Amino acid sequence: MPENHFDKIAIIGLGLIGSSIAHAARRAHLAKEIAGHDASADVLERAGKISFCDTLHADIGAAVKGAQLVILCAPVGAYKSIAQAIAPHLAQGAILSDVGSVKGAVIRDVGPFVPAGVHFIPAHPIAGTEYSGPEAGFASLFDGRWAILTPVPGSDGMAVDKLKTFWKGLGSQVDVMDSGHHDLVLAITSHLPHLIAYNIVGTAHDLEKVTEGEVIKYSASGFRDFTRIAASDPTMWRDVFLNNREAVLEVLGRFNDDLKILQDAVAQGNGDLLFDTFTRTRAIRRAIVDLGQDTAAPNFGRKS
Ligand code: NAP
């Protein structure tokens, strides 16, 4: 991996993903200087204590000044105002990228502010946890996981290659796809599962005949895996659903149809249909493990 792939990178938003990029870039010596900015003075102070950036800036213009790579790592709802604020300060030839969980809306919100001579290459690492904030980041977050780049029409091939090399340096495998396809794929693999988890945990909480104490006490029997997802950052996930509405509604419609089929099978005692469905889904779990995207250990390797 090339040492000091960039002279200066700037990370805007120093939470889980921003801090993890800084830790991983340091680990691989990918930049001479890692500059950080966050809108919150409290986050800047906490980031300073952990010390994963070389320089920290309350002024966003100073953070991006002279950077060859700028990565937006704030919630996607903030991208438009950030793009407006940094545009006059971006260096000619710089790469402007991001990590947002949706891509079409990011291109819509950021694209109009990208100055001529700046390479706008949206990206999304498929890696994360349910924790947020600068303390949540760690260097190995992206190891072996996928990062998806969604270049816009006319993106410069050399800049795309340079960003690919950067993500590989962070530990990722890299795929390139169209933003619309990304949003549909992520709607089913990430956004819908989060919506379902938020819903099931909320429903369990609202049930009158089962007490909250019982829900928590007996959670090991399946519920607790949903609670991990449903503990994810509310701001981030609100912005995901506001900004990937069409794709989420498309897969949600499909989900509702399939759920109705399972509901009918339960009502009619159609064991064959239930068995066939559960056999098919079990094979998908095995394929995820075979591809190294999760552990093969029983119960995710938990001790209890
Ligand atoms: P996070 O831990 O909450 O960090 C986001 C940081 O951005 C916070 O420190 C936040 O400050 C700051 N911020 C908010 N508005 C800002 C602004 N206008 N300018 C500068 N900083 C601002 O969230 P995260 O999990 O790292 O997510 C960041 C991005 O990564 C999101 O776009 C998300 O879609 C994407 N992503 C997340 C995951 C995941 O699993 N978490 C995975 C892949 C991609 P305050 O807390 O004070 O608001």
Side-chain angles (χ1 to χ4, degrees):
M1 197 51 58
E3 182 127 333
N4 293 330
H5 192 51
F6 292 103
D7 282 340
K8 175 179 175 181
I9 66 173
I11 299 173
I12 309 300
L14 301 174
L16 166 70
I17 302 294
S19 63
S20 294
I21 290 175
H23 284 297
R26 265 221 179 132
R27 180 184 67 176
H29 308 287
L30 293 176
K32 280 188 197 156
E33 179 187 347
I34 302 172
H37 162 83
D38 199 283
S40 152
D42 174 53
V43 171
L44 273 180
E45 193 186 328
R46 284 151 57 200
K49 284 185 186 145
I50 308 167
S51 192
F52 48 74
C53 286
D54 300 302
T55 58
L56 287 169
H57 307 265
D59 176 8
I60 199 167
V64 304
K65 194 170 177 224
Q68 294 158 336
L69 171 64
V70 175
I71 312 180
L72 310 186
C73 301
V76 291
Y79 278 12
K80 187 174 178 182
S81 62
I82 294 174
Q84 252 171 320
I86 60 174
H89 307 281
L90 291 170
Q92 279 292 300
I95 296 173
L96 173 61
S97 189
D98 78 302
V99 295
S101 306
V102 300
K103 297 276 55 95
V106 167
I107 292 170
R108 177 199 66 202
D109 288 351
V110 175
F113 300 102
V114 180
V118 170
H119 306 293
F120 177 39
I121 309 168
H124 177 205
I126 314 299
T129 74
E130 67 276 29
Y131 295 103
S132 341
E135 295 83 5
F138 53 99
S140 59
L141 178 65
F142 309 110
D143 288 353
R145 312 306 301 275
W146 287 93
I148 300 176
L149 309 191
T150 62
V152 293
S155 284
D156 178 76
M158 277 169 61
V160 172
D161 284 346
K162 194 148 191 192
L163 189 62
K164 266 191 204 172
T165 304
F166 178 77
W167 275 102
K168 285 181 185 166
L170 297 181
S172 288
Q173 313 181 68
V174 180
D175 255 349
V176 175
M177 67 176 73
D178 160 71
S179 60
H181 190 63
H182 166 279
D183 287 355
L184 187 62
V185 171
L186 269 292
I188 186 67
T189 58
S190 172
H191 306 167
L192 184 64
H194 276 79
L195 200 64
I196 292 167
Y198 283 124
N199 185 54
I200 196 169
V201 175
T203 302
H205 188 255
D206 293 343
L207 276 183
E208 283 170 8
K209 290 184 188 158
V210 181
T211 66
E212 190 177 327
E214 285 171 318
V215 168
I216 294 166
K217 188 168 161 191
Y218 301 120
S219 68
S221 51
F223 182 70
R224 98 175 152 183
D225 293 339
F226 285 105
T227 63
R228 186 192 69 74
I229 301 175
S232 299
D233 189 72
T235 307
M236 170 190 154
W237 283 98
R238 176 203 62 197
D239 287 359
V240 167
F241 292 112
L242 291 178
N243 287 287
N244 197 20
R245 187 167 40 195
E246 280 176 27
V248 169
L249 289 177
E250 186 178 332
V251 295
L252 189 58
R254 193 50 202 274
F255 172 82
N256 283 330
D257 293 345
D258 291 344
L259 189 61
K260 177 73 175 69
I261 292 171
L262 286 180
Q263 182 181 353
D264 290 347
V266 172
Q268 293 153 11
N270 186 346
D272 287 347
L273 191 141
L274 294 173
F275 186 83
D276 289 349
T277 304
F278 302 162
T279 304
R280 196 159 49 91
T281 55
R282 188 178 226 196
I284 292 171
R285 169 72 195 164
R286 287 202 179 121
I288 290 170
V289 171
D290 289 348
L291 282 171
Q293 295 299 304
D294 205 353
T295 173
N299 199 17
F300 302 133
R302 290 185 187 114
K303 291 197 179 72
S304 63

